[in-house]
Amino acid sequence: MRARTSRPWVARGTRGARAGRAAVAAAVVGATLLLSGCGGDGGSGATVPEGWGTLDTKSLSVGYPKDEGYAEQPAGERAKANAAVALKEEDGIRTGMVSVQLNFATGVRDAAGAAAAAGAGIGLNSTRKATEDVRLAGPADAREARRIDYDFTADGQENTPTRGTPMTGVLVAGVDTKGVPFVVRLNAVKDAVDAEDLDAFVESITVK
């Protein structure tokens, strides 16, 4: 397996009584489908929190906290390795970033391989906090993914926070229905996003 590594900065029939019962049953089924829309085996989309925006790519879509100042980066401005990016900038400094990379590694066929390749690109200045298997919304054959939570320190390059600033991040790696490996990241200044936001970010991913 060979990964194209990068730094972390580079991520819902009878009338009457029988007819009445049929109508009630139909209503119940409809309500059930609405309630089970997040991550169901039928390929339903994930739930994106209210106030968030969505990054949409060929392999997946993912939410980002638009109501907290994140904005989608124009295609002409983002790094070549990224399929989509949303940034939070404060006084010209990038204090938060959501990014999607597709086909970022060769020889990857499953979530474990994608996670291994993505993890290798986290960087030497990072510390893994947790790794767990997750199930994303989307088709049943592409829902398996792996989540890695980590901390790192900013390097002060490319308009990132001052060198040594504590940062936190989460990445989700997997393979889409066409066998294309993907990794989605959310990186931000430590304590700028809480555990609930990180969970919501992961749960907002829909694989295609």
Side-chain angles (χ1 to χ4, degrees):
M1 181 188 306
R2 184 174 71 256
R4 305 188 188 102
T5 59
S6 59
R7 296 194 310 275
W9 278 93
V10 172
R12 239 213 221 182
T14 301
R15 299 179 181 178
R18 289 185 180 178
R21 287 195 296 270
V24 171
V28 170
V29 170
T32 300
L33 289 175
L34 288 173
L35 290 172
S36 61
C38 180
D41 288 326
S44 299
T47 298
V48 177
E50 184 177 356
W52 285 35
T54 301
L55 298 177
D56 191 40
T57 72
K58 294 184 295 184
S59 293
L60 59 87
S61 64
V62 59
Y64 65 91
K66 187 175 182 178
D67 58 353
E68 295 180 19
Y70 285 73
E72 186 169 357
Q73 186 180 35
E77 297 179 11
R78 64 177 180 249
K80 196 172 182 179
N82 294 321
V85 171
L87 295 174
K88 181 176 182 178
E89 296 186 334
E90 301 176 80
D91 297 325
I93 301 298
R94 298 179 179 182
T95 57
M97 179 175 181
V98 172
S99 64
V100 181
Q101 289 184 311
L102 306 179
N103 205 21
F104 68 98
T106 59
V108 172
R109 296 180 177 80
D110 55 24
I122 289 176
L124 297 176
N125 61 338
S126 304
T127 302
R128 291 197 189 196
K129 300 193 305 183
T131 301
E132 64 176 318
D133 293 329
V134 293
R135 286 176 63 79
L136 305 176
D141 60 343
R143 293 179 61 197
E144 303 298 332
R146 188 159 292 178
R147 168 179 176 169
I148 301 175
D149 290 81
Y150 54 94
D151 287 336
F152 65 103
T153 56
D155 60 14
Q157 300 180 24
E158 299 178 9
N159 299 322
T160 59
T162 305
R163 183 179 182 85
T165 299
M167 310 289 291
T168 192
V170 59
L171 70 79
V172 178
V175 177
D176 72 7
T177 55
K178 295 182 179 179
V180 176
F182 64 80
V183 57
V184 187
R185 294 183 178 90
L186 190 161
N187 295 315
V189 173
K190 195 170 179 63
D191 298 327
V193 291
D194 56 24
E196 185 175 326
D197 284 337
L198 293 179
D199 290 342
F201 170 73
V202 174
E203 292 165 3
S204 74
I205 300 170
T206 299
V207 184
K208 302 176 182 178

